[in-house]
Amino acid sequence: MKANFDIELLPEAIEFLDTLDDKTREKIYYNIKKAQFVNDNELFKKLNDFIWEFRALYKSKAYRLFSFWDKTQGKETLVIATHGILKKTQKTPPKEIKKAEEIRKQYLENKQK
């Protein structure tokens, strides 16, 4: 079975994952991998026109990795994970979505150089 999209983790996403304990990190990686094969809003959800989030619930804590789509070699299937948070409120903090948008903008600008 072929994955629906590839994933690239930007440095901030890797740094976030590195701060987590092994079991939590494994759960998040498992959900990301699963989202590549299964279309499930509980795992991968659109937040606005450009930003999506990978979602993981582990030990009653909600983890989020923000991401966006990019086109690589003509394939619009690459998801770039920008950064992550441990979600503490019901609603995703707007400042985190804004941060993901800024990272996306910077990424796309650097790619064109």
Side-chain angles (χ1 to χ4, degrees):
M1 195 168 161
K2 189 178 177 309
N4 294 323
F5 51 84
D6 295 325
I7 295 172
E8 181 179 328
L9 297 174
L10 294 178
E12 266 193 73
I14 294 167
E15 286 171 25
F16 170 72
L17 290 166
D18 285 348
T19 66
L20 305 173
D21 64 85
D22 291 344
K23 292 275 187 210
T24 304
R25 191 177 321 109
E26 282 173 27
K27 173 69 175 182
I28 292 170
Y29 277 127
Y30 173 81
N31 279 7
I32 289 171
K33 203 81 186 137
K34 189 174 174 184
Q36 287 180 281
F37 295 94
V38 182
N39 191 0
D40 183 349
N41 270 355
E42 291 302 310
L43 297 174
F44 190 51
K45 182 181 175 187
K46 187 174 186 174
L47 296 177
N48 66 23
D49 288 346
F50 303 111
I51 304 301
W52 291 65
E53 67 180 359
F54 285 105
R55 304 155 60 101
L57 190 62
Y58 184 68
K59 291 189 176 179
S60 301
K61 292 182 180 174
Y63 297 89
R64 300 293 186 260
L65 269 178
F66 297 92
S67 56
F68 59 90
W69 295 93
D70 185 23
K71 187 178 279 196
T72 301
Q73 296 162 350
K75 278 182 16 188
E76 198 164 354
T77 55
L78 183 67
V79 175
I80 313 289
T82 61
H83 70 291
I85 62 167
L86 170 58
K87 198 166 153 208
K88 295 181 169 101
T89 61
Q90 197 70 3
K91 214 165 160 32
T92 302
K95 74 174 189 164
E96 297 298 341
I97 296 170
K98 187 101 182 108
K99 180 177 179 178
E101 288 171 339
E102 286 300 315
I103 292 170
R104 174 185 175 271
K105 185 178 159 199
Q106 237 176 345
Y107 171 88
L108 295 174
E109 283 173 6
N110 289 338
K111 187 179 167 188
Q112 291 175 3
K113 290 179 183 173

